[in-house]
Amino acid sequence: MSGSPRSRARFSVALMAGLALSGCISLLPRERPVPLYSFEGPPLSVSAPPSPQALHPVTVRASLNGFERAASGDRLLTVDGDAQAFISNARWVSPAQSLFESALVTRFAAAHGRVRLLGRNEAAASDARLEFEVTRFETRYAADRSLPPQVLVEIQASLTPTTPGGTRRDRTFSVRVPASANRVRAIVAAYVRATDQALEALVAWTNAGV
């Protein structure tokens, strides 16, 4: 290449910069992707025929009024005594609060009960209001660290008929499910079971109360 030493030096610097930019991905540290999990699961199968009551459903509008703040996002919350932390290298595929609402809709749809849950944007009048708050959604460790953790799901709910003279009912649902091991997949499996059990109880209670 012709030209002065200074020109050749500038060209060499530019060439190296261009090569670095063209291969910039390979220069970044290689990190394992963070696994994404869900406790919502696939839609529940609806194999049994609808009951006569389900043909003339009672309509209920559900409202999630709160979710344990530290656990409402996409990180898995752990509680060890007074200390709170998140499980590293693991995330929910969506915020836990959104997954929980979707799981509730799925559970009601498969219940064959009297209640038809109104859609979020459905303008129809409801026969009752179901208001609930997820006050606990966490992995809890015991003082004995040789034991696997437990997943705690707790729901505080109220059911209020919209007809005159209706009586409000309140109920707390608390479910603890031990993980089979202190591993992320085992903890996620415990979340799936605990959420399903808590929602099953909530849906059954709602169907019985309207």
Side-chain angles (χ1 to χ4, degrees):
M1 181 181 70
S2 61
S4 66
R6 180 174 298 177
S7 298
R8 288 196 297 271
R10 285 199 297 266
F11 177 81
S12 297
V13 171
L15 177 62
M16 287 187 292
L19 290 173
L21 289 173
S22 65
C24 62
I25 294 177
S26 65
L27 298 178
L28 295 174
R30 295 183 178 180
E31 297 182 357
R32 296 180 60 185
V34 175
L36 299 177
Y37 299 96
S38 176
F39 55 83
E40 182 185 356
L44 299 174
S45 61
V46 183
S47 55
S51 66
Q53 289 176 322
L55 297 176
H56 304 283
V58 175
T59 56
V60 170
R61 189 173 301 282
S63 176
L64 176 57
N65 294 337
F67 203 100
E68 184 175 8
R69 183 174 180 180
S72 63
D74 65 350
R75 307 188 71 182
L76 282 69
L77 176 67
T78 68
V79 178
D80 187 354
D82 294 330
Q84 291 185 336
F86 295 108
I87 296 177
S88 61
N89 298 322
R91 297 286 192 276
W92 298 121
V93 69
S94 299
Q97 180 170 336
S98 299
L99 289 174
F100 200 93
E101 289 182 288
S102 296
L104 176 72
V105 172
T106 300
R107 172 54 77 175
F108 265 106
H112 297 314
R114 302 181 66 225
V115 168
R116 182 175 74 85
L117 202 65
L118 293 175
R120 184 188 299 271
N121 298 319
E122 193 170 351
S126 65
D127 298 305
R129 295 192 313 273
L130 173 64
E131 299 177 285
F132 66 102
E133 180 178 357
V134 181
T135 52
R136 291 286 184 272
F137 194 78
E138 59 200 30
T139 308
R140 299 188 70 90
Y141 284 89
D144 183 354
R145 296 308 299 271
S146 66
L147 298 175
Q150 291 186 334
V151 167
L152 171 61
V153 176
E154 185 175 278
I155 306 171
Q156 293 182 356
S158 67
L159 184 64
T160 308
T162 56
T163 55
T167 302
R168 167 175 163 163
R169 301 170 64 225
D170 297 283
R171 179 81 176 269
T172 298
F173 304 89
S174 185
V175 176
R176 290 177 182 262
V177 172
S180 60
N182 189 20
R183 297 194 302 269
V184 174
R185 289 187 181 276
I187 292 172
V188 169
Y191 269 106
V192 172
R193 295 196 302 273
T195 300
D196 190 59
Q197 291 176 24
L199 287 178
E200 183 177 21
L202 174 64
V203 170
W205 174 75
T206 303
N207 274 291
V210 293

